[in-house]
């Protein structure tokens, strides 16, 4: 059995059905919140189709796959932090950081596609990058694996920032 820092032993356990349902609830919640802005507009618009894209623009299907995976990882990470107990200040800070970065995440899609403002969207995604990095740091203070689950999200936001800049610069 693995041991803790205080010399006692811990047992590993499989999550029970209730815990699995709670994890699934967090995953679904983050996916729904994250996907909702796509209702307002997306890459199928005539405006977006007319834009020049950089050579590294991925195929359209890649965005749905990537975001579903990322939102699912984010949901698991959020659950791990939440289950540490909202009575702890570090948990409340981490949850607040998550909510703030999610607000900027959700704001990006309508800014870029509905308002057709790639320059303003670039500012939003730049702030989002900083907020995601801060959320990872806040999650790390509560649950290191939860923080690690957000690293692919930061990598994708990094790529999306470069992509947003390239589209803005080309058009």
């Amino acid at each position: 059995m693995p041991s803790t820092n205080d010399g006692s032993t811990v047992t590993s356990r499989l999550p029970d059905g209730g815990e699995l349902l709670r994890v699934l609830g967090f995953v679904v919640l983050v996916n729904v919140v994250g996907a909702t802005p796509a209702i307002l507009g997306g890459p199928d618009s005539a405006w977006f189709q007319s834009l020049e894209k950089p050579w590294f623009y991925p195929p359209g299907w890649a965005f749905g796959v990537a975001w579903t995976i990322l939102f699912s990882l984010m949901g698991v990470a959020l659950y791990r932090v939440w289950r540490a107990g909202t009575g702890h200040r570090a948990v409340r800070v981490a949850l607040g950081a998550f909510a703030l970065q999610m607000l900027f995440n959700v704001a990006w899609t309508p800014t870029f596609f509905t308002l057709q403002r790639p320059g303003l969207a670039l500012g939003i995604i730049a702030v989002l990058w900083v907020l995601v990095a801060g959320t990872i740091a806040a999650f790390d203070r509560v649950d290191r694996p939860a923080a690690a689950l957000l690293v692919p999200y930061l990598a994708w936001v990094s790529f999306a920032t470069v992509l947003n800049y390239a589209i803005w610069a080309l058009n």
Side-chain angles (χ1 to χ4, degrees):
M1 271 191 257
S3 77
T4 62
N5 291 339
D6 65 2
S8 64
T9 57
V10 294
T11 58
S12 63
R13 65 172 179 84
L14 294 174
D16 64 21
E19 187 171 17
L20 287 175
L21 283 175
R22 285 187 292 278
V23 171
L24 182 60
F26 275 77
V27 168
V28 169
L29 174 67
V30 173
N31 271 279
V32 167
V33 170
T36 298
I39 295 168
L40 299 173
D44 294 334
S45 71
W47 169 79
F48 184 73
Q49 293 299 319
S50 72
L51 295 178
E52 188 173 342
K53 316 290 187 308
W55 63 269
F56 57 90
Y57 187 81
W61 61 264
F63 292 95
V65 170
W67 278 114
T68 300
I69 292 168
L70 294 169
F71 286 145
S72 296
L73 292 172
M74 291 164 64
V76 173
L78 184 62
Y79 169 75
R80 289 184 62 95
V81 168
W82 172 81
R83 79 172 181 185
T86 58
H88 301 286
R89 183 178 187 285
V91 171
R92 291 192 306 274
V93 168
L95 295 176
F98 186 90
L100 184 59
Q101 69 77 30
M102 200 66 190
L103 178 68
F104 275 77
N105 180 308
V106 167
W108 184 89
T109 299
T111 302
F112 190 96
F113 292 109
T114 306
L115 298 177
Q116 301 176 1
R117 301 279 310 270
L120 181 56
L122 181 59
I124 289 170
I125 202 168
V127 172
L128 175 62
W129 191 96
V130 171
L131 293 173
V132 172
T135 301
I136 290 171
F139 274 35
D140 189 55
R141 288 185 204 98
V142 176
D143 184 274
R144 181 155 284 166
L149 287 169
L150 296 182
V151 171
Y153 175 40
L154 184 62
W156 182 261
V157 170
S158 299
F159 171 72
T161 302
V162 172
L163 188 59
N164 188 153
Y165 172 78
I167 291 171
W168 175 70
L170 288 169
N171 295 280

